[in-house]
């Protein structure tokens, strides 16, 4: 059985938060030019995660709040 949609949304939100923390940590420890490619990769991952959150939220809305996949 699949996880509730809200659990999956929270999971992706946690991944976004972790990626942003990683970006902040990299910028605090290294020169920007040194970690630029890593930051761009993390931003790309965040974009993918945001798309997943958006799709899950749309599905949740379409199901009128029913939290399990139909």
């Amino acid at each position: 059985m699949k996880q509730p949609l809200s659990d999956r949304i929270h999971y992706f939100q946690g991944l976004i938060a972790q990626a942003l923390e990683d970006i902040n940590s990299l910028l605090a420890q290294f020169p920007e030019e040194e970690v630029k490619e890593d930051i761009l990769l993390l931003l790309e991952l965040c974009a993918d995660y945001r798309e997943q959150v958006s799709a899950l939220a749309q599905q949740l809305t379409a199901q009128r709040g029913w939290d399990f996949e139909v």
Side-chain angles (χ1 to χ4, degrees):
M1 184 164 125
K2 292 188 178 183
Q3 290 180 320
L5 296 172
S6 61
D7 286 355
R8 292 166 55 199
I9 289 170
H10 288 118
Y11 173 75
F12 282 112
Q13 288 173 332
L15 291 175
I16 291 168
Q18 182 61 53
L20 293 174
E21 288 177 29
D22 291 345
I23 289 170
N24 285 332
S25 177
L26 286 171
L27 288 173
Q29 295 179 19
F30 301 99
E32 186 176 335
E33 284 302 315
E34 224 176 275
V35 294
K36 186 176 182 176
E37 288 189 31
D38 297 321
I39 291 171
L40 291 174
L41 176 62
L42 287 167
L43 290 173
E44 188 176 318
L45 286 172
C46 279
D48 291 341
Y49 297 152
R50 284 192 330 264
E51 286 178 21
Q52 290 292 326
V53 168
S54 179
L56 290 168
Q58 286 178 2
Q59 186 176 353
L60 189 59
T61 300
Q63 293 178 189
R64 299 182 191 264
W66 181 249
D67 203 16
F68 293 91
E69 281 194 78
V70 181

